[in-house]
Amino acid sequence: MQGKKTSFIFVCVFLSFIFWGCGGQKSVISASEFFLLEDSTLQFSAEQAWIAFSGNKFEQQNGFSFNPGFTTSYYWLAVKYDTASSSNEKLEIGTSQINVIEFYRIEKDRPVKKYTTGDHLPFSSRPERSLNYLFPLDHHYPYYLLKIDK
């Protein structure tokens, strides 16, 4: 165990993509791609994580859920957003029990922090009022980066 980090044993539905369609229907079908990197050193900055992603160091995910089991690591999630989609899409982190999430949009090949939220922060820090974490995605920006601290 490392200092302040705590282990967890619940199934973490780590990410799912939401399509907000007519009539409020949801589905978890996406043309976007998702990639993960474990940071067991707890030292990566957003810039270092982006360089690692650009150097193909992240592992592409085939599904919409992720369960790391017991861990004291941070996880970096890179999203390659399908900007050609006509849907108004949002990224959902599907569990409310994450200590801190830092959400970055990649602008001019650099991560720019847009939100910091999490279970250890006020509910008002969430981009949208929701039990899970919903992040708006912009059709002008194809890449996003999230630091997940459980």
Side-chain angles (χ1 to χ4, degrees):
M1 297 281 172
Q2 295 178 348
K4 66 178 182 172
K5 304 315 279 162
T6 58
S7 297
F8 65 106
I9 189 170
F10 60 89
V11 174
C12 177
V13 179
F14 210 42
L15 60 98
S16 62
F17 227 76
I18 303 281
F19 288 87
W20 297 94
C22 296
Q25 295 178 337
K26 298 180 196 178
S27 67
V28 289
I29 299 171
S30 176
S32 296
E33 299 175 77
F34 305 96
F35 306 83
L36 278 175
L37 176 72
E38 180 178 7
D39 176 13
S40 60
T41 69
L42 311 177
Q43 300 297 315
F44 274 36
S45 67
E47 290 77 14
Q48 290 169 316
W50 180 242
I51 290 168
F53 176 76
S54 299
N56 296 315
K57 305 292 186 200
F58 279 55
E59 186 175 321
Q60 186 166 9
Q61 301 301 293
N62 295 321
F64 293 109
S65 66
F66 173 70
N67 177 7
F70 291 104
T71 185
T72 58
S73 299
Y74 294 149
Y75 281 86
W76 287 91
L77 170 66
V79 178
K80 183 178 179 188
Y81 175 47
D82 180 14
T83 58
S85 170
S86 61
S87 300
N88 180 18
E89 299 177 7
K90 298 178 183 189
L91 178 70
E92 178 181 18
I93 303 299
T95 182
S96 61
Q97 299 175 337
I98 295 176
N99 297 339
V100 179
I101 300 171
E102 294 177 4
F103 181 89
Y104 299 83
R105 184 169 67 198
I106 306 304
E107 300 177 9
K108 297 180 183 175
D109 206 33
R110 297 187 51 97
V112 176
K113 188 186 292 187
K114 295 298 177 182
Y115 305 103
T116 301
T117 189
D119 194 35
H120 286 190
L121 296 169
F123 188 82
S124 61
S125 70
R126 296 178 188 210
E128 297 201 14
R129 295 178 54 88
S130 173
L131 291 179
N132 294 333
Y133 302 99
L134 292 175
F135 298 95
L137 302 178
D138 186 321
H139 285 280
H140 296 100
Y141 299 96
Y143 290 99
Y144 295 86
L145 188 64
L146 290 85
K147 179 182 177 183
I148 313 288
D149 170 10
K150 176 49 198 137

Coordinates of all heavy atoms in Angstrom, one line a residue, residues 70-99:
F70 N -8.0 -4.7 -6.9 CA -7.3 -4.0 -5.9 C -6.2 -3.2 -6.6 O -5.4 -3.7 -7.3 CB -6.7 -4.9 -4.8 CG -7.7 -5.6 -4.0 CD1 -8.0 -6.9 -4.2 CD2 -8.3 -4.9 -2.9 CE1 -8.9 -7.6 -3.4 CE2 -9.2 -5.6 -2.1 CZ -9.5 -6.9 -2.4
T71 N -6.2 -1.9 -6.3 CA -5.1 -1.1 -6.9 C -4.9 0.2 -6.1 O -5.8 0.7 -5.4 CB -5.5 -0.7 -8.4 OG1 -4.3 0.0 -8.9 CG2 -6.7 0.2 -8.5
T72 N -3.7 0.7 -6.2 CA -3.3 2.0 -5.6 C -2.8 2.9 -6.7 O -2.3 4.0 -6.4 CB -2.3 1.8 -4.5 OG1 -1.1 1.2 -5.0 CG2 -2.8 1.1 -3.3
S73 N -3.0 2.5 -8.0 CA -2.5 3.2 -9.1 C -3.5 4.3 -9.5 O -4.7 4.2 -9.2 CB -2.3 2.3 -10.3 OG -1.3 1.3 -10.0
Y74 N -3.0 5.3 -10.3 CA -3.9 6.2 -11.1 C -4.0 5.5 -12.4 O -3.2 4.7 -12.8 CB -3.2 7.5 -11.3 CG -3.0 8.4 -10.1 CD1 -1.9 9.3 -10.1 CD2 -3.8 8.4 -9.0 CE1 -1.7 10.1 -9.0 CE2 -3.6 9.2 -7.9 CZ -2.6 10.0 -7.9 OH -2.3 10.8 -6.8
Y75 N -5.1 5.8 -13.1 CA -5.3 5.3 -14.5 C -5.5 6.6 -15.3 O -6.3 7.5 -14.9 CB -6.5 4.4 -14.6 CG -6.1 3.0 -14.1 CD1 -6.2 2.6 -12.8 CD2 -5.6 2.1 -15.0 CE1 -5.8 1.4 -12.4 CE2 -5.2 0.8 -14.6 CZ -5.3 0.5 -13.3 OH -4.9 -0.8 -12.9
W76 N -4.9 6.5 -16.5 CA -5.1 7.6 -17.5 C -6.0 7.0 -18.6 O -5.7 5.9 -19.1 CB -3.8 8.1 -18.1 CG -3.0 8.9 -17.1 CD1 -2.1 8.5 -16.2 CD2 -3.2 10.3 -16.9 NE1 -1.7 9.5 -15.4 CE2 -2.3 10.7 -15.9 CE3 -3.9 11.3 -17.5 CZ2 -2.1 12.0 -15.4 CZ3 -3.8 12.6 -17.1 CH2 -2.9 12.9 -16.1
L77 N -7.1 7.7 -18.9 CA -8.0 7.3 -20.0 C -7.9 8.3 -21.1 O -8.0 9.5 -20.9 CB -9.4 7.2 -19.4 CG -10.5 7.1 -20.5 CD1 -10.5 5.7 -21.1 CD2 -11.9 7.3 -19.8
A78 N -7.5 7.8 -22.3 CA -7.5 8.6 -23.5 C -8.7 8.2 -24.3 O -9.0 7.0 -24.5 CB -6.2 8.4 -24.3
V79 N -9.4 9.2 -24.8 CA -10.6 9.0 -25.7 C -10.3 9.7 -27.0 O -9.9 10.8 -27.1 CB -11.8 9.7 -25.1 CG1 -13.0 9.5 -26.0 CG2 -12.1 9.2 -23.7
K80 N -10.4 8.8 -28.1 CA -10.4 9.3 -29.4 C -11.8 9.4 -29.9 O -12.5 8.5 -30.2 CB -9.6 8.4 -30.3 CG -9.4 8.9 -31.8 CD -8.6 8.0 -32.6 CE -8.5 8.5 -34.0 NZ -7.8 7.6 -34.9
Y81 N -12.3 10.7 -29.8 CA -13.7 10.9 -30.1 C -14.0 11.0 -31.6 O -13.3 11.6 -32.4 CB -14.1 12.3 -29.4 CG -15.5 12.8 -29.7 CD1 -16.6 12.0 -29.5 CD2 -15.6 14.2 -30.0 CE1 -17.8 12.6 -29.7 CE2 -16.9 14.7 -30.2 CZ -18.0 13.9 -30.1 OH -19.2 14.4 -30.2
D82 N -15.1 10.4 -32.0 CA -15.5 10.4 -33.4 C -16.2 11.7 -33.7 O -17.4 11.8 -33.5 CB -16.4 9.2 -33.7 CG -16.9 9.1 -35.1 OD1 -16.3 9.8 -36.0 OD2 -17.9 8.4 -35.4
T83 N -15.4 12.7 -34.1 CA -16.0 14.0 -34.4 C -16.9 14.1 -35.6 O -17.6 15.0 -35.7 CB -14.8 15.0 -34.6 OG1 -14.0 14.6 -35.7 CG2 -14.0 15.2 -33.4
A84 N -16.9 13.0 -36.4 CA -17.9 13.0 -37.5 C -19.3 12.6 -37.1 O -20.2 12.7 -37.9 CB -17.4 12.0 -38.6
S85 N -19.4 12.1 -35.9 CA -20.7 11.7 -35.4 C -21.7 12.9 -35.3 O -21.3 14.0 -34.9 CB -20.6 11.1 -34.0 OG -21.9 10.9 -33.4
S86 N -22.9 12.7 -35.7 CA -23.9 13.8 -35.6 C -24.6 13.8 -34.2 O -25.4 14.7 -34.0 CB -24.9 13.6 -36.7 OG -25.6 12.4 -36.6
S87 N -24.3 12.9 -33.4 CA -25.0 12.8 -32.1 C -24.3 13.8 -31.1 O -23.1 14.1 -31.2 CB -24.8 11.4 -31.5 OG -25.4 10.5 -32.3
N88 N -25.1 14.3 -30.2 CA -24.6 15.1 -29.1 C -24.1 14.2 -28.0 O -24.9 13.7 -27.2 CB -25.7 16.1 -28.6 CG -25.2 16.9 -27.5 OD1 -24.0 17.1 -27.3 ND2 -26.1 17.5 -26.7
E89 N -22.8 13.8 -28.0 CA -22.3 12.8 -27.1 C -21.7 13.3 -25.9 O -21.2 14.4 -25.8 CB -21.3 11.9 -27.9 CG -21.9 11.2 -29.1 CD -20.9 10.4 -29.9 OE1 -19.8 10.3 -29.4 OE2 -21.3 9.9 -30.9
K90 N -21.7 12.5 -24.8 CA -21.1 12.8 -23.5 C -20.4 11.6 -23.1 O -20.8 10.5 -23.3 CB -22.1 13.3 -22.5 CG -22.9 14.5 -23.0 CD -23.9 14.9 -22.0 CE -24.7 16.1 -22.6 NZ -25.5 16.7 -21.6
L91 N -19.3 11.8 -22.4 CA -18.5 10.7 -21.8 C -19.0 10.5 -20.4 O -19.1 11.5 -19.6 CB -17.0 11.0 -21.8 CG -16.1 10.0 -21.2 CD1 -16.1 8.7 -22.0 CD2 -14.7 10.5 -21.0
E92 N -19.4 9.3 -20.0 CA -19.8 9.0 -18.7 C -18.8 8.1 -18.0 O -18.5 7.0 -18.5 CB -21.2 8.3 -18.7 CG -21.7 8.0 -17.3 CD -23.0 7.3 -17.3 OE1 -23.5 6.8 -18.4 OE2 -23.7 7.2 -16.2
I93 N -18.4 8.5 -16.8 CA -17.7 7.6 -15.9 C -18.7 7.0 -15.0 O -19.4 7.7 -14.2 CB -16.6 8.4 -15.1 CG1 -15.6 9.1 -16.0 CG2 -15.9 7.4 -14.2 CD1 -14.8 8.2 -17.0
G94 N -18.9 5.7 -15.2 CA -20.1 5.0 -14.7 C -20.1 4.6 -13.2 O -20.7 3.6 -12.9
T95 N -19.4 5.3 -12.4 CA -19.5 5.0 -10.9 C -19.2 6.3 -10.2 O -18.4 7.1 -10.7 CB -18.5 3.9 -10.4 OG1 -18.7 3.7 -9.0 CG2 -17.1 4.3 -10.7
S96 N -19.9 6.6 -9.2 CA -19.8 7.8 -8.5 C -18.7 7.8 -7.4 O -18.4 8.7 -6.8 CB -21.1 8.2 -7.8 OG -21.5 7.2 -6.9
Q97 N -18.1 6.6 -7.2 CA -17.1 6.4 -6.1 C -15.7 6.5 -6.6 O -14.9 5.7 -6.3 CB -17.4 5.1 -5.5 CG -18.8 5.0 -4.9 CD -19.1 3.6 -4.3 OE1 -18.5 2.6 -4.7 NE2 -20.1 3.5 -3.5
I98 N -15.4 7.6 -7.3 CA -14.0 7.9 -7.7 C -13.6 9.1 -7.0 O -14.3 10.1 -7.0 CB -13.9 8.0 -9.2 CG1 -14.3 6.7 -9.9 CG2 -12.5 8.5 -9.6 CD1 -14.3 6.8 -11.4
N99 N -12.4 9.1 -6.3 CA -11.9 10.2 -5.5 C -11.8 11.5 -6.3 O -12.4 12.5 -5.9 CB -10.6 9.8 -4.8 CG -10.7 8.7 -3.9 OD1 -11.8 8.3 -3.4 ND2 -9.6 8.0 -3.6

